[in-house]
Amino acid sequence: MASITTSVGPLDVQSIVSQLIAVDSQPLTQSQSRVSNYQSQLSSIGQISSALSSLQTASTAMASGSFLQQFQIASTDNTIASASATSGGVAGNYALNVTQLAQPRQLVFDQTSGGQAITDQNAALTGAPGALSFTVNGTTSTVQLGQNGSAVSLSSIADSINSAGIGVNASVVEYNNHYSLVLASSQSGPANAFSISAGGSDSGATSGNTLAGLGQSSAAASESAAAQDALLTVNGVNVSSSSNTLNNVINGATVNLNKLGQVTLNMSQNTANVTSTLQNFVSAYNQVISASNSALGGSMKNSSDVIGLQEQLSGLLSTPVPGANASSSYAYLAQVGITQQADGTLKLDSSAFTTALNADPGAVANLFGNAQNNGYANAFNTAINNLLGPNGMITTEQGDINTKISDENNLQSRLNNQLANEKSSLLNQYTTLNSELSAMQQSTSSLANLLA
């Protein structure tokens, strides 16, 4: 009798279900691809936004036109007078003849009241009062000594005066095992000089003074100094100053007097700094073009918004400054050496700019910023504010893309739930089918055995 055979075996349920789910997952994969593209668009918009912010910063630096008033100052002899440029300078030479330096009042005390030299700065002083009083600039301040029963010594007097912060500095100096107390006004000049009003006597000179059980030897008197102002002439004009640092004598410069003598200070325009400011603007503009070109060549191909941004910036460059005559003056950046290239980027010709600046500095300044706020720097600031503002292209574009990403994320959540339910259902179905096939196989096998 013929035998019955079967080749039915258990199904690979996991493999079958995985293949079926993979087919049905295509909408999810497509959504994930769209999100990836949107994320790339956000990155591109972010790069454009950052470049625009940098361009606005560079434009702001030129908005007032004062960036053209950058000067440098050089001294023919820094040992006599050195100088540094600040702002608002005027080019020219300034001849200085320094005949006296400013100095503070200084008194030196090197003896006890009995005329003995001081060999221990911490030893108690005989006859020291409980307080000292100094008058500085019409204000009298009292310094307490020997507080909490402590002895009054040279070092404790110095500590007490310094801690009081009254415009008098105190120090203890040691030489050949002898100690001296040195008092000096915190600031130079007669107006800031101190006087001893209690706790000692003040002759008003450098000698004949006493302080808290202290006196002066002839050597200490010679080491003392009267307060004096700095005296000099600037281009023949007499100048006096309580300080050796002069801030209001030469416009746009701080001058430091170092010793007596004659010196010339030369103030000239710092073309390097001016050029650097211009180059920052040019580089920032070119970065916007680069970022937008990258977006158009990548995730935002043919984006009308990005193309419109480039056209808007280019349009600013081709619009003359209102009121400026392009025939007799400067109305365009191109006329002063900042030109647009074929690829849309800018290029600075620093030589052409310097020539234009020397020819008509007022007209050049008007190009960037003026009282009417319609210079190129002003125009760029306004345009960028609009682009980055709440209703601007950048913010709107970012909002639209984020909305699309949110919609796709919601879609993916729904699709993931559907696929999870489908997978669970298919696993149940094929697991059941597998059980049924196994049972059929066992029945077939039993029947075959009976017929054998």
Side-chain angles (χ1 to χ4, degrees):
M1 177 178 294
S3 64
I4 298 175
T5 61
T6 178
S7 62
V8 178
L11 300 174
D12 187 347
V13 174
Q14 293 293 340
S15 176
I16 294 172
V17 171
S18 294
Q19 293 177 51
L20 293 173
I21 292 299
V23 173
D24 291 342
S25 294
Q26 290 182 5
L28 176 62
T29 302
Q30 293 167 354
S31 175
Q32 291 169 337
S33 177
R34 289 192 295 271
V35 168
S36 177
N37 185 60
Y38 293 149
Q39 294 286 5
S40 295
Q41 291 179 10
L42 272 183
S43 176
S44 295
I45 290 294
Q47 291 173 8
I48 294 174
S49 176
S50 177
L52 284 171
S53 294
S54 296
L55 177 58
Q56 187 169 41
T57 299
S59 298
T60 300
M62 304 187 301
S64 67
S66 62
F67 80 98
L68 297 173
Q69 303 302 313
Q70 299 186 64
F71 290 87
Q72 56 192 3
I73 188 166
S75 171
T76 56
D77 190 341
N78 283 315
T79 66
I80 297 175
S82 57
S84 58
T86 53
S87 62
V90 178
N93 291 323
Y94 301 85
L96 277 63
N97 183 13
V98 184
T99 56
Q100 179 172 290
L101 293 179
Q103 66 183 25
R105 187 188 190 195
Q106 174 175 294
L107 295 181
V108 179
F109 300 91
D110 63 346
Q111 293 180 342
T112 66
S113 57
Q116 290 80 33
I118 302 170
T119 57
D120 184 355
Q121 63 175 329
N122 298 310
L125 295 172
T126 303
L132 298 173
S133 292
F134 297 91
T135 299
V136 179
N137 246 335
T139 299
T140 299
S141 303
T142 299
V143 178
Q144 298 297 324
L145 303 178
Q147 298 183 53
N148 300 320
S150 61
V152 177
S153 64
L154 210 63
S155 60
S156 71
I157 292 175
D159 290 341
S160 297
I161 292 173
N162 290 330
S163 298
I166 59 173
V168 179
N169 296 327
S171 58
V172 176
V173 177
E174 185 269 336
Y175 179 68
N176 285 339
N177 295 320
H178 289 175
Y179 293 87
S180 300
L181 176 68
V182 181
L183 301 184
S185 300
S186 298
Q187 299 182 57
S188 57
N192 300 306
F194 69 87
S195 62
I196 303 168
S197 51
S201 61
D202 193 333
S203 68
T206 58
S207 62
N209 303 290
T210 64
L211 179 77
L214 297 171
Q216 296 178 290
S217 67
S218 58
S222 67
E223 294 164 351
S224 300
Q228 63 183 34
D229 288 334
L231 299 178
L232 67 154
T233 60
V234 179
N235 286 348
V237 177
N238 289 320
V239 174
S240 65
S241 170
S242 63
S243 170
N244 290 316
T245 299
L246 312 178
N247 293 310
N248 302 310
V249 174
I250 298 176
N251 286 338
T254 295
V255 180
N256 296 306
L257 305 180
N258 302 317
K259 72 177 184 179
L260 307 187
Q262 297 182 15
V263 64
T264 298
L265 304 179
N266 174 260
M267 178 85 79
S268 60
Q269 192 158 48
N270 192 331
T271 55
N273 282 1
V274 173
T275 300
S276 176
T277 302
L278 292 171
Q279 188 58 58
N280 287 342
F281 169 76
V282 169
S283 298
Y285 183 95
N286 291 344
Q287 185 56 41
V288 174
I289 299 302
S290 175
S292 55
N293 282 341
S294 179
L296 291 171
S299 59
M300 302 185 73
K301 292 183 183 296
N302 302 319
S303 168
S304 59
D305 285 336
V306 177
I307 293 173
L309 180 149
Q310 290 187 339
E311 292 175 344
Q312 182 179 357
L313 296 183
S314 180
L316 291 177
L317 296 171
S318 60
T319 302
V321 171
N325 190 323
S327 299
S328 59
S329 184
Y330 305 126
Y332 297 93
L333 290 180
Q335 291 180 288
V336 297
I338 301 176
T339 56
Q340 190 171 27
Q341 309 303 293
D343 61 359
T345 60
L346 295 181
K347 181 180 179 180
L348 170 64
D349 184 338
S350 57
S351 296
F353 181 86
T354 300
T355 299
L357 182 60
N358 290 335
D360 194 343
V364 174
N366 182 68
L367 273 179
F368 297 96
N370 49 52
Q372 293 72 40
N373 292 322
N374 59 17
Y376 277 104
N378 307 122
F380 272 95
N381 267 332
T382 299
I384 295 171
N385 275 334
N386 291 335
L387 288 167
L388 298 178
N391 300 314
M393 171 262 181
I394 296 296
T395 305
T396 301
E397 193 75 21
Q398 289 173 327
D400 290 344
I401 295 172
N402 279 319
T403 297
K404 292 177 181 178
I405 291 175
S406 179
D407 290 342
E408 291 294 338
N409 286 336
N410 290 334
L411 173 61
Q412 289 177 25
S413 180
R414 293 195 300 272
L415 290 174
N416 278 320
N417 288 335
Q418 292 174 7
L419 290 171
N421 292 334
E422 181 182 355
K423 182 177 181 179
S424 178
S425 176
L426 288 172
L427 284 172
N428 287 334
Q429 292 178 25
Y430 278 95
T431 299
T432 301
L433 178 60
N434 228 9
S435 297
E436 293 175 349
L437 288 174
S438 178
M440 290 177 59
Q441 186 176 22
Q442 291 177 359
S443 298
T444 301
S445 177
S446 298
L447 181 60
N449 290 333
L450 289 173
L451 296 175

